[in-house]
Amino acid sequence: MPIIQGTCIGIDLGTANSIVCTKEKGIVIREPSVVAYDNKQDRVLAIGEEAKRMMGKTPFGITTVRPLRDGVIADFGLTLVMLKMFIKKVMRSAIISRPKVIVCIPYGITEVEQRAVENVAIEAGASGVALIDEPVAAAIGAGLPLRQSKGNVIVDIGGGTTEVAVVTGGGVAVSNSVRVAGDKCDQAIVEYIRKKFNVLIGESTAEEIKMEIGSVHESTDIGMLEVRGRNLATGLPSVFNIYSKEINEAMSGPINSIIDAIKATLEITPPELCADIYETGITLAGGGALISGFAQLVQDKTHLPVYIAKHPLDCVADGIIKVMNSSAYNGVLHEVKRI
């Protein structure tokens, strides 16, 4: 019996954010993948948005942790606590307390990493687990004709990984996964400001800068933003202005790595599929797709038409919802465990 029958929950377990969806209601939870932990009392204080607001502002003895790094589980215990809370929230009004769960995973992760995802879902209360590859879910969610024998390129830029895949005939023909994405852009901004202004800022501030005035193409200049941080020379609070073109320079390293991954994937794509891609172009999904000028940059570097998915942040979750509601997509699931 297919795992998608009966009570089923879909989870996009992301490095930056986690999205939980159901067959009937669609997306029901959207929370940052952050946990606040009290080391003295050995207990979790907050999860999700509440924990994210505490990042960089906690007193001694309390830490904020992102239990997923580079798209995979870095802290099994805290990921388990977070997942249990999500499942409990969704199942609060349900008669059946142990749902089947579909979890999205980066394409090409190791067996050990895959087993960690399986185990955490089972321990969190799942009665059965199936995995779906992230680029496949993103392609389905973006509305690409996955089941046709025609090549389409999906690029999903998340928090920890960028997934590049050529999908056709219901599966992945060629793929490339690099652990360079939104987080690396934030870290690059932190490092750039430290070197140029001798000011230290947190990654939350860097993320805000990226979202407010981040640009990666010379044609897009969003202006200036006032930034606050700690002056490394005096140790005192510091205020300065930073411009969009400086953020372009700051993010050039990770952005170029993503462009290289896209080009490397195209270079090993079979000629017949390349002919399709010349017509179908490249579809961008994930939070990185929303960085100003990114679509134009990809188009300039590949000389192919580039499109941003209608709901780039939700593509993976939307894909999982479609899989849960249509037996036509059963073939894209990897069923790994049933209890």
Side-chain angles (χ1 to χ4, degrees):
M1 185 169 61
I3 195 167
I4 58 172
Q5 291 188 7
T7 305
C8 190
I9 294 175
I11 300 174
D12 175 13
L13 201 58
T15 303
N17 297 285
S18 292
I19 299 177
V20 183
C21 52
T22 67
K23 290 168 65 175
E24 299 80 13
K25 297 181 180 179
I27 295 173
V28 291
I29 293 175
R30 186 198 306 273
E31 293 275 4
S33 301
V34 184
V35 178
Y37 188 76
D38 187 332
N39 297 288
K40 293 179 181 177
Q41 299 186 31
D42 191 26
R43 66 187 182 97
V44 171
L45 295 177
I47 293 172
E49 191 63 50
E50 186 183 351
K52 187 176 181 180
R53 287 196 295 267
M54 297 168 68
M55 288 182 71
K57 300 178 180 180
T58 56
F60 180 76
I62 296 175
T63 56
T64 52
V65 181
R66 296 175 64 183
L68 293 112
R69 285 285 175 184
D70 300 331
V72 296
I73 294 172
D75 188 313
F76 185 90
L78 292 182
T79 303
L80 176 60
V81 171
M82 186 172 71
L83 209 54
K84 275 183 175 178
M85 188 204 75
F86 291 157
I87 292 176
K88 185 178 179 181
K89 270 188 179 181
V90 174
M91 300 304 296
R92 190 169 290 161
S93 59
I95 298 171
I96 301 170
S97 60
R98 304 203 69 186
K100 300 176 181 71
V101 174
I102 297 174
V103 186
C104 182
I105 56 170
Y107 189 83
I109 65 172
T110 68
E111 239 180 84
V112 172
E113 291 167 340
Q114 182 173 309
R115 202 175 301 119
V117 174
E118 169 197 350
N119 291 339
V120 77
I122 291 294
E123 290 198 34
S127 64
V129 184
L131 305 181
I132 183 170
D133 295 320
E134 188 174 319
V136 172
I140 294 171
L144 298 183
L146 186 72
R147 288 171 289 174
Q148 294 181 11
S149 296
K150 194 168 190 177
N152 287 268
V153 178
I154 183 75
V155 180
D156 183 21
I157 312 107
T161 62
T162 295
E163 307 280 329
V164 186
V166 179
V167 293
T168 181
V172 175
V174 180
S175 72
N176 194 357
S177 179
V178 291
R179 296 186 178 188
V180 179
D183 285 355
K184 287 291 192 293
C185 290
D186 297 342
Q187 292 163 16
I189 292 170
V190 171
E191 187 61 20
Y192 179 88
I193 289 174
R194 187 187 67 79
K195 287 182 177 178
K196 182 165 184 177
F197 297 95
N198 201 32
V199 171
L200 186 64
I201 62 168
E203 286 190 19
S204 294
T205 301
E207 183 184 22
E208 183 185 340
I209 293 169
K210 179 184 68 180
M211 293 170 68
E212 290 284 336
I213 62 167
S215 166
V216 295
H217 194 272
E218 56 187 14
S219 66
T220 55
D221 188 344
I222 309 173
M224 176 267 293
L225 185 70
E226 184 181 86
V227 178
R228 296 174 175 84
R230 174 164 58 84
N231 188 296
L232 291 171
T234 65
L236 300 174
S238 178
V239 178
F240 62 96
N241 295 330
I242 195 162
Y243 294 84
S244 185
K245 61 183 179 181
E246 293 175 299
I247 303 307
N248 184 341
E249 183 183 344
M251 296 194 296
S252 61
I255 291 297
N256 286 337
S257 294
I258 294 172
I259 296 294
D260 289 345
I262 296 171
K263 292 167 74 174
T265 306
L266 294 171
E267 286 168 5
I268 58 173
T269 300
E272 291 81 2
L273 291 175
C274 280
D276 294 337
I277 293 165
Y278 191 79
E279 178 188 338
T280 59
I282 297 171
T283 300
L284 303 179
L290 298 174
I291 297 176
S292 182
F294 186 69
Q296 184 62 52
L297 181 65
V298 175
Q299 188 165 303
D300 289 353
K301 297 295 184 180
T302 62
H303 307 292
L304 292 168
V306 177
Y307 311 97
I308 299 175
K310 189 175 180 181
H311 303 291
L313 292 171
D314 298 340
C315 275
V316 171
D318 288 344
I320 296 174
I321 293 166
K322 288 181 180 180
V323 169
M324 289 192 291
N325 282 288
S326 174
S327 58
Y329 292 113
N330 280 7
V332 305
L333 295 174
H334 311 297
E335 188 171 341
V336 293
K337 192 163 186 178
R338 184 188 298 279
I339 58 174

